[in-house]
Amino acid sequence: MMRLFTKISALTMAALAAAPVWAQDAAEAAEEVAAAVPNPGNNAWMMTATILVLLMILPGLALFYGGLTRTKNMLSTMTQIGAVSALAMIIWVVYGYSTAFGPEGNSFVSWGNLFLAQTTTDSTAATFSDEVISEYVFISFQMTFAAITAALVLGALVERVKFSAVMLFTAIWLTIVYFPIAHMVWWDGGFLFDMGALDFAGGTVVHVNAGISALVAAMILGKRTGYPKEPMPPHSLTMTMIGTGLLWVGWFGFNAGSELEADGTAGLAMINTFVATASAALFWMLAEAVNGKKASALGFCSGVIAGLVAVTPAAGNSGPFGAIILGAVASIVCYYAVAFLKPKLGYDDSLDAFGIHGIGGMVGAIGTGLVYQPLFGGPGDGSVAMGEQVWIQIVAVLVAIVWAAIGTAIAATIAKLVTGGRVSEEAEREGLDLAEHGERAYNY
């Protein structure tokens, strides 16, 4: 009996001694569960950022591009942007998110969440700290990136491309170009992510990708009838100016939202989006004046977009002074690409998608390797040497260029073979508003 009592006493003492350990383990487990719950403030910010990116597409990009076309093509340009964006959203849910963000994958592509079958209202997505946000919010945010990137490509193709060709091209292009590049750059385990490439909000994924794709597709499609002998001025710079303003406002969701949290880095991305853009707008008009032209509204609008494009990869990877310099340099380079390189080479990039997004994206992506360094007031800790980081950025740009060029050539060729690619000369002269959609933007 005494032996039994002794055993019971020993077990009791052991249990009492272990109680604090069990309590600590339980507390740690509870903390882990609590950490997996999305912060409502971050969720609310990311929902707002997502809507801001939608504002960039409709009405922002639609008005910006539409105003730059001729009157007879205003409606078709806006319709193409709207339809392409809607198609991208549907494809994103069906297989796009799965292809870009997994959950399973290799260095170039992922899989495992078709139709978002693995996502629930309790699912979360990681940010860049120990926080999480709701996965549906992250999915929606990234969905708008896919939509606007596809729409940006249209800037080089408008005024002569068939609506059916646009839709088929977009479906193929998203599948073989956009989703893999997004995966390589932004997925933990992606080829360029693991290399250490810096792309805060889409310098390579969005702008280099869209710009190179626009150039390749435009060359395959051919020049507009009458280009460059016939004058083809913008029909409404008022519309373009409105679109520019909406793009600038929406871009805060694009850049600051890419931090995925409402924190100090999002604030850094916000101020950089202000000052890089302001710098670029002024320097574009200065470049016009230096080259014997008048500072123009079109120049202001072009400079704004060049600055926004350049600061996109650097938004959270640069100090404000570095962003000002980056915006100025990108604007000047883009100006000369549009004003001199384009006429010299003779390609018909209708609305300068390559000249601004492609060239500006390259300058911004490579320049990020410089402005990231503490020497220029960037947030980097100096652990990666400047030369090494710049080389990584160059490799990322080259990969994006090659992948986008080859993929676009495939997509554009298929679309051209299936649909004919472009409208007839008669339809082009009549205008795509009537020829393709049976409507007019303006009924006088």
Side-chain angles (χ1 to χ4, degrees), residues 66-78:
L68 292 174
T69 62
R70 289 168 287 179
T71 305
K72 61 185 179 181
N73 296 313
M74 168 70 163
L75 191 68
S76 69
T77 299
M78 298 178 71

Side-chain angles (χ1 to χ4, degrees), residues 11-12 17 27 54 63 74 81 86 108 143 150 211 281 289 323 338 373 377 396 444:
L11 289 170
T12 302
L54 178 61
L63 289 173
M74 168 70 163
I81 290 170
F108 301 97
M143 178 174 67
V338 169
Q373 304 301 322
Y444 299 107

Side-chain angles (χ1 to χ4, degrees), residues 35-421:
V37 176
N39 181 316
N42 290 336
N43 254 11
W45 159 237
M46 289 309 301
M47 290 178 181
T48 303
T50 301
I51 299 304
L52 284 171
V53 181
L54 178 61
L55 179 75
M56 292 172 65
I57 310 170
L58 295 169
L61 185 65
L63 289 173
F64 178 82
Y65 273 176
L68 292 174
T69 62
R70 289 168 287 179
T71 305
K72 61 185 179 181
N73 296 313
M74 168 70 163
L75 191 68
S76 69
T77 299
M78 298 178 71
T79 304
Q80 288 175 11
I81 290 170
V84 159
S85 300
L87 178 62
M89 293 176 188
I90 300 302
I91 294 175
W92 185 253
V93 169
V94 175
Y95 63 86
Y97 178 71
S98 176
T99 305
F101 290 100
E104 301 174 52
N106 54 36
S107 296
F108 301 97
V109 71
S110 61
W111 57 87
N113 198 8
L114 294 176
F115 298 96
L116 305 183
Q118 304 301 316
T119 304
T120 71
T121 53
D122 294 323
S123 302
T124 60
T127 64
F128 300 101
S129 68
D130 57 357
E131 294 277 347
V132 295
I133 59 174
S134 295
E135 189 176 15
Y136 277 131
V137 176
F138 178 74
I139 292 170
S140 297
F141 182 65
Q142 287 292 340
M143 178 174 67
T144 59
F145 275 59
I148 194 169
T149 307
L152 287 173
V153 178
L154 300 179
L157 311 178
V158 295
E159 299 199 303
R160 79 270 205 193
V161 65
K162 287 184 176 179
F163 183 68
S164 57
V166 162
M167 299 301 280
L168 179 57
F169 168 81
T170 297
I172 300 170
W173 182 84
L174 285 168
T175 304
I176 65 176
V177 177
Y178 181 82
F179 300 152
I181 291 181
H183 175 84
M184 284 188 277
V185 175
W186 284 333
W187 193 72
D188 188 359
F191 175 61
L192 296 175
F193 184 97
D194 283 353
M195 187 183 295
L198 300 173
D199 190 351
F200 193 80
T204 49
V205 178
V206 176
H207 299 297
V208 173
N209 189 3
I212 293 297
S213 298
L215 177 63
V216 172
M219 293 176 71
I220 291 174
L221 190 64
K223 301 175 184 178
R224 286 169 291 178
T225 300
Y227 180 88
K229 296 180 180 179
E230 296 179 12
M232 300 179 181
H235 89 278
S236 178
L237 286 177
T238 301
M239 292 290 188
T240 295
M241 181 70 81
I242 293 170
T244 301
L246 290 168
L247 282 165
W248 195 351
V249 170
W251 222 290
F252 289 104
F254 203 80
N255 283 355
S258 290
E259 171 61 4
L260 305 180
E261 297 180 34
D263 61 8
T265 301
L268 175 63
M270 182 176 185
I271 192 169
N272 285 343
T273 304
F274 272 116
V275 297
T277 310
S279 172
L282 295 175
F283 271 87
W284 190 294
M285 291 191 289
L286 179 61
E288 289 179 317
V290 168
N291 285 277
K293 299 182 179 180
K294 295 180 179 179
S296 66
L298 179 58
F300 172 83
C301 293
S302 299
V304 165
I305 304 305
L308 290 168
V309 167
V311 79
T312 294
N317 293 322
S318 171
F321 181 70
I324 291 173
I325 299 302
L326 191 60
V329 172
S331 184
I332 293 170
V333 174
C334 288
Y335 170 78
Y336 282 101
V338 169
F340 296 97
L341 181 64
K342 176 182 171 180
K344 186 174 183 179
L345 297 182
Y347 58 85
D348 186 10
D349 174 8
S350 306
L351 310 180
D352 297 316
F354 170 71
I356 295 179
H357 292 277
I359 298 296
M362 293 177 204
V363 173
I366 296 171
T368 297
L370 297 172
V371 298
Y372 182 67
Q373 304 301 322
L375 174 65
F376 295 102
D381 59 8
S383 59
V384 179
M386 183 185 297
E388 181 182 353
Q389 188 62 61
V390 170
W391 174 246
I392 292 172
Q393 298 301 111
I394 292 172
V395 171
V397 167
L398 291 175
V399 169
I401 288 172
V402 172
W403 194 287
I406 294 173
T408 300
I410 294 171
T413 300
I414 294 173
K416 187 174 182 178
L417 289 173
V418 174
T419 68

Side-chain angles (χ1 to χ4, degrees), residues 1-19 22:
M1 187 72 175
M2 181 61 70
R3 190 175 297 171
L4 177 61
F5 177 76
T6 302
K7 288 184 177 180
I8 292 173
S9 298
L11 289 170
T12 302
M13 292 299 292
L16 290 174
W22 292 344

